[in-house]
Amino acid sequence: MEQEVRLARAWLSRTAEPGNPSLWRYVDQYGPVEALARLRAGAAPAEVAAGVESGVDPLFAAADLEAAEAGGQRLMAPEDAEWPAESLRAVAAAAAAGDELLVPPLALWLTGPARLDQVTGRAVGVVGARAATGYGNQVAADLGYRLAGAGCPVVSSGGYGIDAAALRGALTGDGTPVAVQPCGLARRHPAVQDRLLDQIAARGLLVSAWPPATTPARRRFLLARRLTAALSAATVVVEAGAHGSALAAAEYARMLARPMLAVPGPITSVMSAGPHQLLRDRQARLAATAQDVLVALGQPD
């Protein structure tokens, strides 16, 4: 990727939140360099400019790139060979057709030795509640371990509860863990999971849609959940409340027409309400074992 394009992508990543459909279509039409120039000159349509801090000097984006390099991170964009184009193809097609929810990221920031384009084809998103039960943590860890043994990378957030358990299981199984963060990669979230995130960065990938120093924010958790589903060939909900954020990832997977699975739990547990709801409404397939997930992926062996 040319440096001018890289700088433009970094600038767009800094000045606009991911998931802006008008901006994505504008950049898709004009390219990042021309889009940056038009936004800075005030020549972009109002609905595009409304979501962009166009007064930000590109020097700040250059500083983001320098900080990323110093921290062992890298910016990746659609112009790079590593971009997961196949996984994001359905998202891009929906955005181009005018969908307001299915919007690809304009760029991603990565840390780790794995290649994202080689990870996503068989990746399984495992999501669930932060306030997981002992049952949920055990199931998520075992699922992560067995999926890793079957050659399926595990994608989650690295946060508390189910997400962390699934990624620990993938590490134990010598798999490729991928943690999608709701903040810049210079600010690990949650901070108490720093050791786990270091292990993930050493073997798999940390992924963010925001520049290095970006702080966590409520809206970014939802966007990170959507990105988890977008980068996964299938998504499994282990535990979630009836309105848990993990269900947002499941809904996004459904919109992408990708396999969505749910793990049943005790009927007495409120943390089983989300999976049971998905199973009752036939929005998800039953995931009693890792084999169920592999079958859903068309990979029974």
mmCIF file of all heavy atoms in Angstrom, residues 222-250:
data_model
loop_
_atom_site.group_PDB
_atom_site.id
_atom_site.type_symbol
_atom_site.label_atom_id
_atom_site.label_comp_id
_atom_site.label_asym_id
_atom_site.label_seq_id
_atom_site.Cartn_x
_atom_site.Cartn_y
_atom_site.Cartn_z
ATOM 1 N N LEU A 222 -20.320 -2.359 20.956
ATOM 2 C CA LEU A 222 -21.252 -2.909 19.971
ATOM 3 C C LEU A 222 -20.571 -3.067 18.613
ATOM 4 O O LEU A 222 -20.732 -4.097 17.942
ATOM 5 C CB LEU A 222 -22.480 -2.002 19.843
ATOM 6 C CG LEU A 222 -23.499 -2.407 18.774
ATOM 7 C CD1 LEU A 222 -24.039 -3.808 19.048
ATOM 8 C CD2 LEU A 222 -24.643 -1.394 18.713
ATOM 9 N N LEU A 223 -19.789 -2.076 18.216
ATOM 10 C CA LEU A 223 -19.082 -2.156 16.934
ATOM 11 C C LEU A 223 -18.060 -3.286 16.939
ATOM 12 O O LEU A 223 -17.873 -3.983 15.930
ATOM 13 C CB LEU A 223 -18.405 -0.819 16.626
ATOM 14 C CG LEU A 223 -19.367 0.325 16.269
ATOM 15 C CD1 LEU A 223 -18.638 1.666 16.307
ATOM 16 C CD2 LEU A 223 -19.982 0.100 14.895
ATOM 17 N N ALA A 224 -17.410 -3.503 18.087
ATOM 18 C CA ALA A 224 -16.457 -4.605 18.185
ATOM 19 C C ALA A 224 -17.171 -5.949 18.091
ATOM 20 O O ALA A 224 -16.645 -6.901 17.499
ATOM 21 C CB ALA A 224 -15.677 -4.509 19.498
ATOM 22 N N ARG A 225 -18.367 -6.054 18.656
ATOM 23 C CA ARG A 225 -19.159 -7.276 18.546
ATOM 24 C C ARG A 225 -19.502 -7.547 17.073
ATOM 25 O O ARG A 225 -19.424 -8.688 16.596
ATOM 26 C CB ARG A 225 -20.447 -7.151 19.350
ATOM 27 C CG ARG A 225 -20.295 -7.303 20.856
ATOM 28 C CD ARG A 225 -19.817 -8.685 21.228
ATOM 29 N NE ARG A 225 -20.092 -9.005 22.626
ATOM 30 C CZ ARG A 225 -19.488 -9.960 23.294
ATOM 31 N NH1 ARG A 225 -18.553 -10.685 22.700
ATOM 32 N NH2 ARG A 225 -19.780 -10.218 24.542
ATOM 33 N N ARG A 226 -19.903 -6.512 16.372
ATOM 34 C CA ARG A 226 -20.246 -6.687 14.954
ATOM 35 C C ARG A 226 -19.028 -7.108 14.145
ATOM 36 O O ARG A 226 -19.128 -7.959 13.252
ATOM 37 C CB ARG A 226 -20.824 -5.386 14.396
ATOM 38 C CG ARG A 226 -22.211 -5.041 14.930
ATOM 39 C CD ARG A 226 -22.689 -3.704 14.384
ATOM 40 N NE ARG A 226 -24.034 -3.396 14.826
ATOM 41 C CZ ARG A 226 -24.648 -2.244 14.597
ATOM 42 N NH1 ARG A 226 -24.024 -1.286 13.927
ATOM 43 N NH2 ARG A 226 -25.884 -2.042 15.029
ATOM 44 N N LEU A 227 -17.889 -6.525 14.466
ATOM 45 C CA LEU A 227 -16.669 -6.879 13.751
ATOM 46 C C LEU A 227 -16.280 -8.324 14.036
ATOM 47 O O LEU A 227 -15.789 -9.033 13.145
ATOM 48 C CB LEU A 227 -15.535 -5.925 14.149
ATOM 49 C CG LEU A 227 -14.203 -6.087 13.415
ATOM 50 C CD1 LEU A 227 -14.386 -6.010 11.909
ATOM 51 C CD2 LEU A 227 -13.204 -5.034 13.884
ATOM 52 N N THR A 228 -16.507 -8.783 15.266
ATOM 53 C CA THR A 228 -16.240 -10.180 15.607
ATOM 54 C C THR A 228 -17.035 -11.103 14.686
ATOM 55 O O THR A 228 -16.503 -12.073 14.137
ATOM 56 C CB THR A 228 -16.621 -10.455 17.070
ATOM 57 O OG1 THR A 228 -15.768 -9.690 17.924
ATOM 58 C CG2 THR A 228 -16.479 -11.931 17.412
ATOM 59 N N ALA A 229 -18.326 -10.812 14.506
ATOM 60 C CA ALA A 229 -19.167 -11.637 13.635
ATOM 61 C C ALA A 229 -18.744 -11.530 12.178
ATOM 62 O O ALA A 229 -18.746 -12.524 11.439
ATOM 63 C CB ALA A 229 -20.630 -11.234 13.788
ATOM 64 N N ALA A 230 -18.355 -10.332 11.749
ATOM 65 C CA ALA A 230 -17.961 -10.130 10.355
ATOM 66 C C ALA A 230 -16.696 -10.897 9.999
ATOM 67 O O ALA A 230 -16.520 -11.333 8.850
ATOM 68 C CB ALA A 230 -17.764 -8.646 10.082
ATOM 69 N N LEU A 231 -15.803 -11.076 10.967
ATOM 70 C CA LEU A 231 -14.544 -11.767 10.721
ATOM 71 C C LEU A 231 -14.642 -13.276 10.968
ATOM 72 O O LEU A 231 -13.648 -13.982 10.815
ATOM 73 C CB LEU A 231 -13.443 -11.179 11.610
ATOM 74 C CG LEU A 231 -13.076 -9.715 11.343
ATOM 75 C CD1 LEU A 231 -12.051 -9.238 12.366
ATOM 76 C CD2 LEU A 231 -12.552 -9.519 9.929
ATOM 77 N N SER A 232 -15.826 -13.759 11.330
ATOM 78 C CA SER A 232 -16.004 -15.170 11.678
ATOM 79 C C SER A 232 -16.860 -15.873 10.636
ATOM 80 O O SER A 232 -17.851 -15.322 10.151
ATOM 81 C CB SER A 232 -16.660 -15.294 13.056
ATOM 82 O OG SER A 232 -15.883 -14.653 14.055
ATOM 83 N N ALA A 233 -16.504 -17.110 10.337
ATOM 84 C CA ALA A 233 -17.295 -17.913 9.405
ATOM 85 C C ALA A 233 -18.565 -18.436 10.075
ATOM 86 O O ALA A 233 -19.535 -18.791 9.401
ATOM 87 C CB ALA A 233 -16.457 -19.067 8.875
ATOM 88 N N ALA A 234 -18.555 -18.506 11.396
ATOM 89 C CA ALA A 234 -19.732 -18.893 12.180
ATOM 90 C C ALA A 234 -19.602 -18.255 13.556
ATOM 91 O O ALA A 234 -18.496 -17.931 14.000
ATOM 92 C CB ALA A 234 -19.831 -20.413 12.315
ATOM 93 N N THR A 235 -20.730 -18.063 14.221
ATOM 94 C CA THR A 235 -20.733 -17.442 15.548
ATOM 95 C C THR A 235 -21.506 -18.310 16.519
ATOM 96 O O THR A 235 -22.593 -18.808 16.191
ATOM 97 C CB THR A 235 -21.371 -16.033 15.486
ATOM 98 O OG1 THR A 235 -20.603 -15.204 14.606
ATOM 99 C CG2 THR A 235 -21.405 -15.384 16.856
ATOM 100 N N VAL A 236 -20.933 -18.501 17.717
ATOM 101 C CA VAL A 236 -21.555 -19.317 18.757
ATOM 102 C C VAL A 236 -21.798 -18.453 19.992
ATOM 103 O O VAL A 236 -20.874 -17.801 20.491
ATOM 104 C CB VAL A 236 -20.664 -20.513 19.147
ATOM 105 C CG1 VAL A 236 -21.392 -21.406 20.150
ATOM 106 C CG2 VAL A 236 -20.254 -21.309 17.924
ATOM 107 N N VAL A 237 -23.019 -18.457 20.484
ATOM 108 C CA VAL A 237 -23.352 -17.779 21.742
ATOM 109 C C VAL A 237 -23.382 -18.834 22.843
ATOM 110 O O VAL A 237 -24.156 -19.790 22.771
ATOM 111 C CB VAL A 237 -24.718 -17.074 21.656
ATOM 112 C CG1 VAL A 237 -25.036 -16.371 22.976
ATOM 113 C CG2 VAL A 237 -24.727 -16.075 20.502
ATOM 114 N N VAL A 238 -22.537 -18.677 23.855
ATOM 115 C CA VAL A 238 -22.472 -19.665 24.933
ATOM 116 C C VAL A 238 -23.411 -19.285 26.067
ATOM 117 O O VAL A 238 -24.254 -20.080 26.481
ATOM 118 C CB VAL A 238 -21.028 -19.830 25.437
ATOM 119 C CG1 VAL A 238 -20.976 -20.789 26.617
ATOM 120 C CG2 VAL A 238 -20.131 -20.342 24.304
ATOM 121 N N GLU A 239 -23.288 -18.107 26.609
ATOM 122 C CA GLU A 239 -24.207 -17.607 27.629
ATOM 123 C C GLU A 239 -24.489 -16.139 27.347
ATOM 124 O O GLU A 239 -23.588 -15.397 26.938
ATOM 125 C CB GLU A 239 -23.619 -17.738 29.040
ATOM 126 C CG GLU A 239 -23.679 -19.122 29.625
ATOM 127 C CD GLU A 239 -23.330 -19.152 31.112
ATOM 128 O OE1 GLU A 239 -22.473 -18.362 31.545
ATOM 129 O OE2 GLU A 239 -23.917 -19.964 31.834
ATOM 130 N N ALA A 240 -25.719 -15.723 27.563
ATOM 131 C CA ALA A 240 -26.080 -14.319 27.378
ATOM 132 C C ALA A 240 -27.447 -14.084 28.003
ATOM 133 O O ALA A 240 -28.310 -14.968 27.962
ATOM 134 C CB ALA A 240 -26.127 -13.943 25.895
ATOM 135 N N GLY A 241 -27.632 -12.900 28.557
ATOM 136 C CA GLY A 241 -28.949 -12.528 29.034
ATOM 137 C C GLY A 241 -29.886 -12.296 27.861
ATOM 138 O O GLY A 241 -29.479 -12.304 26.695
ATOM 139 N N ALA A 242 -31.149 -12.085 28.163
ATOM 140 C CA ALA A 242 -32.143 -11.909 27.099
ATOM 141 C C ALA A 242 -31.849 -10.703 26.228
ATOM 142 O O ALA A 242 -32.294 -10.639 25.070
ATOM 143 C CB ALA A 242 -33.531 -11.787 27.719
ATOM 144 N N HIS A 243 -31.103 -9.737 26.765
ATOM 145 C CA HIS A 243 -30.766 -8.544 25.983
ATOM 146 C C HIS A 243 -29.262 -8.295 26.015
ATOM 147 O O HIS A 243 -28.809 -7.151 25.908
ATOM 148 C CB HIS A 243 -31.511 -7.323 26.529
ATOM 149 C CG HIS A 243 -32.996 -7.508 26.594
ATOM 150 N ND1 HIS A 243 -33.800 -7.503 25.471
ATOM 151 C CD2 HIS A 243 -33.831 -7.744 27.653
ATOM 152 C CE1 HIS A 243 -35.060 -7.699 25.824
ATOM 153 N NE2 HIS A 243 -35.105 -7.855 27.143
ATOM 154 N N GLY A 244 -28.471 -9.344 26.119
ATOM 155 C CA GLY A 244 -27.026 -9.197 26.219
ATOM 156 C C GLY A 244 -26.402 -8.724 24.919
ATOM 157 O O GLY A 244 -26.933 -8.939 23.825
ATOM 158 N N SER A 245 -25.237 -8.061 25.044
ATOM 159 C CA SER A 245 -24.550 -7.551 23.851
ATOM 160 C C SER A 245 -24.068 -8.676 22.950
ATOM 161 O O SER A 245 -23.866 -8.473 21.746
ATOM 162 C CB SER A 245 -23.358 -6.673 24.262
ATOM 163 O OG SER A 245 -22.369 -7.445 24.922
ATOM 164 N N ALA A 246 -23.885 -9.878 23.514
ATOM 165 C CA ALA A 246 -23.469 -11.008 22.684
ATOM 166 C C ALA A 246 -24.507 -11.311 21.614
ATOM 167 O O ALA A 246 -24.171 -11.807 20.531
ATOM 168 C CB ALA A 246 -23.234 -12.238 23.558
ATOM 169 N N LEU A 247 -25.772 -11.003 21.897
ATOM 170 C CA LEU A 247 -26.824 -11.264 20.912
ATOM 171 C C LEU A 247 -26.681 -10.348 19.702
ATOM 172 O O LEU A 247 -27.177 -10.672 18.622
ATOM 173 C CB LEU A 247 -28.203 -11.083 21.554
ATOM 174 C CG LEU A 247 -28.531 -12.037 22.718
ATOM 175 C CD1 LEU A 247 -29.971 -11.850 23.173
ATOM 176 C CD2 LEU A 247 -28.295 -13.486 22.316
ATOM 177 N N ALA A 248 -25.994 -9.208 19.880
ATOM 178 C CA ALA A 248 -25.758 -8.317 18.742
ATOM 179 C C ALA A 248 -24.847 -8.982 17.724
ATOM 180 O O ALA A 248 -25.049 -8.850 16.512
ATOM 181 C CB ALA A 248 -25.146 -6.997 19.220
ATOM 182 N N ALA A 249 -23.840 -9.709 18.216
ATOM 183 C CA ALA A 249 -22.960 -10.446 17.311
ATOM 184 C C ALA A 249 -23.737 -11.538 16.596
ATOM 185 O O ALA A 249 -23.554 -11.776 15.396
ATOM 186 C CB ALA A 249 -21.786 -11.039 18.086
ATOM 187 N N ALA A 250 -24.616 -12.212 17.328
ATOM 188 C CA ALA A 250 -25.426 -13.259 16.727
ATOM 189 C C ALA A 250 -26.346 -12.699 15.646
ATOM 190 O O ALA A 250 -26.500 -13.285 14.569
ATOM 191 C CB ALA A 250 -26.244 -13.968 17.807
#
